[in-house]
Amino acid sequence: NDTQKKCIIQALYIIYFYSIYCRREGDYLKVYVSNYLSRSISILDYSTLEFERDIKLDENIYPHNFCIDNRQQLAYIPSSLDGELYVLDLSIGKIIDNISIGGKLTNIALCNDELFISNEDSNSIYILDVKTSNPIGVIGVDNMPHGFDIDSINNRLYVACINSIICIDTISKSICKKIDTDFKSWHIKLDRNKKEIYTSTLDGKVVVIDEESLKIIKIIDEFLLPVQICFNYEAKKIYVADMGYKKVIILDYDTGEVLDYINIDGDPQGIQISNDYKLLFISDTKNNLIKVYNTSDNTLIKNIEVGKEPTTILCM
């Protein structure tokens, strides 16, 4: 009857909006991991922290970094081996397209239905329309562009080159500012609260830069080989994966001083924090594990076996 139909419709609306609320609050559905040497993408269940499945890629696809369009359930994987960008349909676990770009592709980001891909061989950022798979353009940058991060609110892409930090306007597709540096920039992470840029360097530093002026605010010399960085805004802490010291080094968010360490019996590289700031995910490339820590006391919750040499971690 009509009353039953109305109840069913109301229940469906409640489920739908609750699912949106949960996603906004950080109750991720999946954790995705790229495994470089085993050429695969591992999928973990976020709520249970159980390994769900492994998607085997083609033999010539070595995934180091990747991004996901969660609406379409597509993963975009640049391969540094053959210069191809591969499109993986996560729902069926198969490659459905590949785009030839050329060169050594390292990092990728999705912004406004456009893909930005760094190419270390040609010292450029390649831009692709995800709807049509057509190229939009190429932006020449400085030597060895590797890591980058996107400020999607202000339409800015920040690129870490070996001797500079470059800001690209993602609307005009042009460089709007840059800073030359005497340190070897590697990975980069935006602090969206303070409007600052954190870049890890190959010479053992984390450098903090003002996002607007690109002036150096501070240089933190507490590392050997820092890689990826993430922020715990609730506890006011910064986590830096250091492959050299085999630790995650924890900094005070306000002062940059070292607060604590998490000893990793392996090689920490990828790092990701949950939206509720309760869980810290670390990829251990030596032992082929994702290590999950409780951020309240830095205790290890679980080791999750994945493929060989896990690198990037995404929670979606």
Side-chain angles (χ1 to χ4, degrees):
N1 57 36
D2 291 341
T3 302
Q4 288 178 326
K5 289 180 180 179
K6 287 180 181 179
C7 288
I8 292 171
I9 292 171
Q10 287 175 348
L12 290 173
Y13 270 114
I14 290 170
I15 293 169
Y16 173 73
F17 285 112
Y18 179 74
S19 67
I20 293 174
Y21 171 80
C22 287
R23 190 171 289 259
R24 286 176 179 174
E25 290 300 304
D27 290 338
Y28 299 114
L29 300 178
K30 307 293 180 187
V31 179
Y32 300 90
V33 182
S34 58
N35 305 301
Y36 185 79
L37 285 183
S38 62
R39 303 182 295 279
S40 67
I41 301 292
S42 293
I43 303 177
L44 317 177
D45 186 285
Y46 175 81
S47 59
T48 64
L49 299 181
E50 294 291 336
F51 177 87
E52 189 173 286
R53 64 185 173 122
D54 220 25
I55 299 176
K56 299 294 184 183
L57 305 174
D58 297 343
E59 288 189 1
N60 57 334
I61 306 176
Y62 288 80
H64 171 71
N65 186 262
F66 67 111
C67 70
I68 290 177
D69 182 345
N70 209 37
R71 297 169 302 170
Q72 304 296 326
Q73 275 294 285
L74 298 176
Y76 296 92
I77 307 168
S79 178
S80 61
L81 183 69
D82 58 6
E84 296 279 324
L85 174 67
Y86 293 90
V87 184
L88 171 66
D89 188 321
L90 293 166
S91 61
I92 61 175
K94 293 186 180 299
I95 297 293
I96 58 171
D97 197 5
N98 64 290
I99 300 105
S100 181
I101 296 174
K104 185 179 180 182
L105 309 180
T106 53
N107 219 309
I108 187 167
L110 178 63
C111 181
N112 299 325
D113 290 324
E114 295 174 348
L115 287 168
F116 294 80
I117 307 133
S118 57
N119 188 332
E120 287 190 355
D121 279 352
S122 62
N123 298 326
S124 62
I125 305 298
Y126 188 91
I127 309 168
L128 185 76
D129 187 318
V130 295
K131 293 180 178 178
T132 64
S133 297
N134 292 329
I136 294 173
V138 179
I139 303 172
V141 292
D142 289 342
N143 291 335
M144 289 183 64
H146 187 79
F148 50 58
D149 200 0
I150 280 188
D151 179 351
S152 56
I153 295 175
N154 297 303
N155 298 304
R156 296 286 188 266
L157 171 68
Y158 292 89
V159 184
C161 298
I162 198 69
N163 290 118
S164 65
I165 303 292
I166 291 174
C167 176
I168 293 172
D169 187 309
T170 60
I171 302 299
S172 67
K173 311 296 187 294
S174 61
I175 295 173
C176 53
K177 51 190 171 182
K178 64 172 280 191
I179 176 176
D180 294 319
T181 65
D182 57 1
F183 48 80
K184 296 180 169 98
S185 305
W186 194 17
H187 288 267
I188 197 168
K189 188 71 175 179
L190 293 179
D191 176 359
R192 289 168 172 81
N193 280 6
K194 288 186 177 179
K195 305 297 181 184
E196 294 174 350
I197 303 164
Y198 281 68
T199 179
S200 58
T201 76
L202 291 170
D203 44 8
K205 301 178 180 68
V206 168
V207 181
V208 186
I209 298 168
D210 181 81
E211 185 179 337
E212 184 60 34
S213 66
L214 292 188
K215 291 183 179 178
I216 294 174
I217 297 171
K218 69 178 73 169
I219 298 175
I220 308 171
D221 277 314
E222 300 287 349
F223 311 94
L224 187 58
L225 189 56
V227 194
Q228 294 191 21
I229 301 165
C230 68
F231 301 98
N232 185 335
Y233 292 118
E234 187 174 90
K236 293 194 171 183
K237 294 177 181 177
I238 304 166
Y239 302 92
V240 183
D242 193 318
M243 287 185 68
Y245 285 135
K246 302 183 183 301
K247 298 176 180 179
V248 171
I249 299 178
I250 305 172
L251 307 177
D252 184 278
Y253 178 70
D254 293 320
T255 67
E257 295 178 357
V258 174
L259 294 175
D260 206 350
Y261 304 92
I262 300 175
N263 289 309
I264 305 294
D265 185 20
D267 295 329
Q269 183 170 341
I271 190 167
Q272 183 68 261
I273 195 167
S274 60
N275 271 5
D276 59 10
Y277 306 114
K278 292 180 180 179
L279 299 179
L280 186 69
F281 297 86
I282 310 292
S283 62
D284 178 357
T285 60
K286 179 181 179 182
N287 297 302
N288 305 322
L289 296 171
I290 297 300
K291 298 187 172 183
V292 188
Y293 290 86
N294 188 327
T295 57
S296 64
D297 56 9
N298 301 331
T299 55
L300 178 65
I301 297 174
K302 191 168 187 178
N303 285 321
I304 307 172
E305 292 185 8
V306 288
K308 292 181 181 178
E309 198 172 308
T311 51
T312 301
I313 307 168
L314 297 179
C315 299
M316 304 294 289

